[in-house]
Amino acid sequence: MTAHGSGEPHVVVVGGGFAGLNAARELGGTRARVTLLDRRNHHLFQPLLYQVATAALNPADVATPIRTILRKQKNTRVLLEEVSVVCPAERKVVFRDGRGMAYDYLIVATGATHSYFGHEEWARVAPGLKSIEDALEIRRRMLLAYEAAEREEDPELRGEWLTFVVIGGGPTGVELAGAFAEIALHAMRRDFRNIDPTQARIVLIEGLPRVLPTYPEDLSEKATRQLRRFGVEVRTGKLVSGIDERGATVGEERIAARTVVWAAGVQASALAKSVGAPLDEAGRVRVEPDLSVPGHPELFVVGDLAAIEQDGEPVPGVAPAAIQEGRHAARQIRRDLAGRERAPFRYRNRGSLATIGRAAAVGELGRLHLSGWPAWMAWLLIHVYFLIGFRNRLFVMLQWAWAYATQKRGARLITGDRAGEPGPEADPPRHECSPQKERG
C-alpha cells in the first residue's frame, strides 16, 4: 500500500529552487503523484538576484510562480507550505503548523542560507543575498545611503554614507562590488547636486589570498584587474573581526561605512538536521552515490543541502549542479518504478562565469578561459537562456539593452521605512516651532 492508499506512489519534493523544480519536472508524465512544497510561491533565478539588489532588474524579472511553471503537469500539485521536520522512520514530513504529509519517496532540496561563522549578530547590520526580500533590503540601504549623503553637511559623515563594503570575494561578492561601482560611475552620476556619486568608495574584502578562489588563478587575477579598473578597492587575505552600524573592522583596520553587505559564507538549511544522516562542517547531508540518504533509499537530498564528492573534489554549490542533481534523483525514482537498477550521480561541469560590470566578466568554459567583453556576452546569453518563461527572457533582454545604451538603471525605488526611523505603526513625531516675535 502506498502513502495514498492506492497503486500510485506519492513523491514529495520539498523546495522549489533549481534542484527541486527540476526534480518535479522530471517526474512529469510518470504514474507517480507528485507534490511540490515550498514556503514561497515562486521559483527564483538566484544568479540574477544581485541585479535586483543593485536596481538593474525588478523582482518579477527573476522570479516566476511555481504553479505557472508546472500547470501543464497533470500529475503534480503545488502547495504553499513550510516543512519544519522530516521523519524518515515514519515516511512523513511535518509542517510548521504541526500537520503532516506521508510520502513514498521524498526529495529534499531546501538549499542553503547565510553563514556568519558564529557571529549571528552581524546579520542585522550586514544583510546577505538569498531571497527577493534580501535583495530589496540591500537595494533600499544602498539608495538611502546616497540620499543621506546628499543632505549631510559633515564631510566625514558624508564619506561614511558613500562607502560600501562587500564581505566575501566569491561570485556573489564580486558581482555586487562591480555593480555598486558601476552605479556610482554611471547611473547616479548626474542625479545629485551636493555630492559626486563617482567619488563613492567600494571595498571588497576576501579572507583567502585571491578573489574567486574556486576559479583558475589567471581568471582571479583578471577579475581583480577589472574590479580595480571600476574603482573597487580589493582586499585579500583579510578577515573581518567586527561589523556594526558604522562600518567593519578588517584586521587592524577600521573601515567607516554605513552600508555593509555579506557574501562570505553559506550553511545548509536547518532541515538537514532532521534527516538523521551524517553532516559535513557546513551542515550539508552526506549522501550515497545515487544521492539517497544512507539507510533510506526512498529519501533523496539534492542541491546546496547535499555534500557530494566526485574524483576527490566537492561538487560545487552552483545552479547547474543543483539542476543535474534534482533531475538525477527523479530519474532514480523512475528507475525504481520501472524495476531498473539505480545509477550513481555524475556531475558534468559546463563551466563557470562571473560578471563584474559593463563589458567586464571572467569565465571558464572547459579549457577555454574568457575575460572582458567575450566573457560578459557569454554570461549574458547563458543567463537569459536559463531564465524560465518567455516574459522573463524578453523583459530582461530589453532592460539590459536599455541599460547598456543609456547607462541607467530603472528599478531605483526605495521601499520600506527609512533607515533609523520608526515604522508606519508608530506614533508620528511631534515637533513644535520655536516661538517668534510677532512683526508689527
Side-chain angles (χ1 to χ4, degrees), residues 52-53 55 58 135-143 411 413 415:
V52 177
N58 288 298
L136 293 178
E137 175 61 16
I138 291 172
R139 184 182 77 178
R140 186 184 75 87
R141 295 188 183 204
M142 174 194 69
L143 296 176
L413 304 179
T415 56

Side-chain angles (χ1 to χ4, degrees), residues 297-366:
E298 77 288 348
L299 171 53
F300 297 87
V301 176
V302 293
D304 289 343
L305 203 64
I308 311 164
E309 286 195 358
Q310 181 172 296
D311 302 328
E313 296 290 332
V315 174
V318 294
I323 292 171
Q324 293 177 38
E325 291 166 27
R327 290 173 177 170
H328 183 85
R331 286 168 184 163
Q332 303 321 295
I333 296 173
R334 296 181 68 131
R335 284 173 175 265
D336 284 359
L337 298 180
R340 297 166 57 197
E341 186 178 350
R342 292 187 179 184
F345 173 71
R346 190 74 186 171
Y347 172 56
R348 294 174 177 82
N349 187 353
R350 294 185 170 88
S352 303
L353 289 160
T355 184
I356 294 158
R358 181 183 173 90
V362 293
E364 178 189 16
L365 303 175

